[in-house]
Amino acid sequence: MVSSGTEKGKRAQEERDPDGVRLMPLVKLTEMIHEICASKNKFDKKCSEGKLPRETMEQHLYTFLFQKYGLRSLMIDWASAIIKGIKLYQSEDIWVGTFGKILRNELNEDFRFVLQELEREIDRLTVDYLRAKHSLKSDAYTVRLARRYRLNELPMDHGMWVDIVKHLYDDDDALSVIGKVLDNTLPAEKEEEEGAQHEGEDEAPQEDPEEPAPPATMNHRSVFGKTGTKQLAIYHDNLVAEVLSCQLEAQQRYLSKFSQLFR
């Protein structure tokens, strides 16, 4: 438990808005959200074992903060900071947005497990793809290379991330997700490329020794057997964010039918 004197000293140094609400950076907010969710999992297990009613995520938010800081004033202070942080970052970070919707009862709490499993499946499919592509290489090489993709040191070429999405969904859903990834990412990629051309036209691109760069041509045959002109390399975290966003949108469309019934 944090002492009140120490906490008051920290409060004086932390950045706050004009209303006195603590301003949390995104990294701190996501850490706090993961702590709250981990605490909620343990609390739900105890409730299940004792045949007691579960708390909602909103209720457990205050339970968690009171147990962590021990004072009602600090509980309210941190709760206000979390709520403000959600408003600031919910459109920027998929996990923050999902947590905010769960707090507002716009999503079922268990949906966060769906997103977690989907992210793990993307990582597993990344290893499987690399293992098949580099079948003559050792497993240690494949694991090391997959880690570089997860750390965003290497971009996934078009064929790689499309193949991963195809194995996550059936053909119709996969095509829909692929289209959304292209539509959401290509405009930003184009702006970055144009800016880079103006800043460093004389700089030669660096080739990665472990993974060759994708071909320069923009006209390839896709995994669905059709020739496409849109080609895109994408980093791991961007792919995860796009896929999870598509899953979140689908869940919201599904739940909207029931929300209308109970309004």
Side-chain angles (χ1 to χ4, degrees):
M1 186 179 294
V2 180
S3 66
S4 60
T6 303
E7 185 63 29
K8 286 178 180 178
K10 289 182 179 179
R11 288 176 65 181
Q13 300 175 359
E14 289 172 344
E15 187 178 359
R16 293 176 178 268
D17 69 6
D19 296 324
V21 179
R22 186 192 307 266
L23 298 177
M24 297 176 65
L26 178 58
V27 173
K28 176 64 178 178
L29 178 61
T30 52
E31 287 177 358
M32 186 74 81
I33 287 173
H34 289 314
E35 283 186 54
I36 295 168
C37 290
S39 174
K40 181 72 160 60
N41 293 342
K42 293 179 182 178
F43 190 82
D44 286 349
K45 185 177 180 181
K46 289 182 180 179
C47 290
S48 178
E49 292 172 351
K51 301 187 184 306
L52 298 172
R54 292 168 50 179
E55 289 183 332
T56 65
M57 185 65 79
E58 182 183 18
Q59 289 171 332
H60 191 74
L61 168 68
Y62 292 98
T63 298
F64 169 83
L65 292 175
F66 186 76
Q67 290 176 346
K68 184 177 178 70
Y69 296 106
L71 293 174
R72 187 173 184 276
S73 60
L74 293 179
M75 175 190 74
I76 295 173
D77 181 60
W78 278 101
S80 300
I82 291 170
I83 293 170
K84 183 176 184 65
I86 290 171
K87 292 178 180 178
L88 286 174
Y89 298 115
Q90 60 186 354
S91 61
E92 180 179 336
D93 186 271
I94 181 67
W95 296 108
V96 173
T98 299
F99 185 75
K101 291 179 185 300
I102 290 173
L103 278 183
R104 298 189 296 269
N105 296 313
E106 296 173 6
L107 272 178
N108 50 308
E109 287 185 19
D110 293 342
F111 183 69
R112 57 197 168 95
F113 299 126
V114 175
L115 295 185
Q116 290 170 357
E117 181 58 33
L118 193 56
E119 185 172 10
R120 284 193 292 266
E121 187 66 8
I122 290 173
D123 289 343
R124 186 188 69 78
L125 289 171
T126 298
V127 175
D128 289 348
Y129 178 90
L130 294 172
R131 187 175 286 126
K133 182 178 180 180
H134 303 285
S135 57
L136 299 180
K137 299 286 187 178
S138 67
D139 196 56
Y141 171 87
T142 302
V143 172
R144 185 171 66 251
L145 189 58
R147 184 172 183 274
R148 295 190 66 190
Y149 280 104
R150 285 196 300 273
L151 293 176
N152 301 301
E153 295 178 3
L154 294 172
M156 297 179 176
D157 64 38
H158 189 84
M160 179 178 180
W161 70 263
V162 166
D163 191 74
I164 289 172
V165 172
K166 186 187 75 169
H167 283 82
L168 285 172
Y169 301 101
D170 60 32
D171 283 357
D172 290 339
D173 289 337
L175 283 171
S176 176
V177 172
I178 291 166
K180 288 182 179 179
V181 173
L182 290 171
D183 291 342
N184 293 339
T185 312
L186 274 174
E189 289 284 319
K190 186 176 180 181
E191 289 179 5
E192 290 179 5
E193 287 177 3
E194 290 175 350
Q197 286 176 358
H198 291 296
E199 290 177 4
E201 293 179 349
D202 297 331
E203 294 182 6
Q206 297 285 332
E207 290 188 1
D208 188 90
E210 279 197 330
E211 186 71 0
T217 178
M218 299 295 284
N219 191 3
H220 297 285
R221 183 165 293 277
S222 74
V223 293
F224 298 103
K226 296 180 180 179
T227 299
T229 55
K230 285 185 178 181
Q231 297 289 312
L232 171 72
I234 187 171
Y235 285 97
H236 170 273
D237 285 0
N238 292 335
L239 177 63
V240 169
E242 292 293 341
V243 171
L244 298 192
S245 293
C246 289
Q247 191 72 31
L248 177 59
E249 290 173 8
Q251 182 72 0
Q252 287 182 288
R253 285 196 301 271
Y254 172 75
L255 292 177
S256 65
K257 305 172 186 176
F258 301 98
S259 299
Q260 293 173 0
L261 290 175
F262 293 98
R263 282 178 180 174

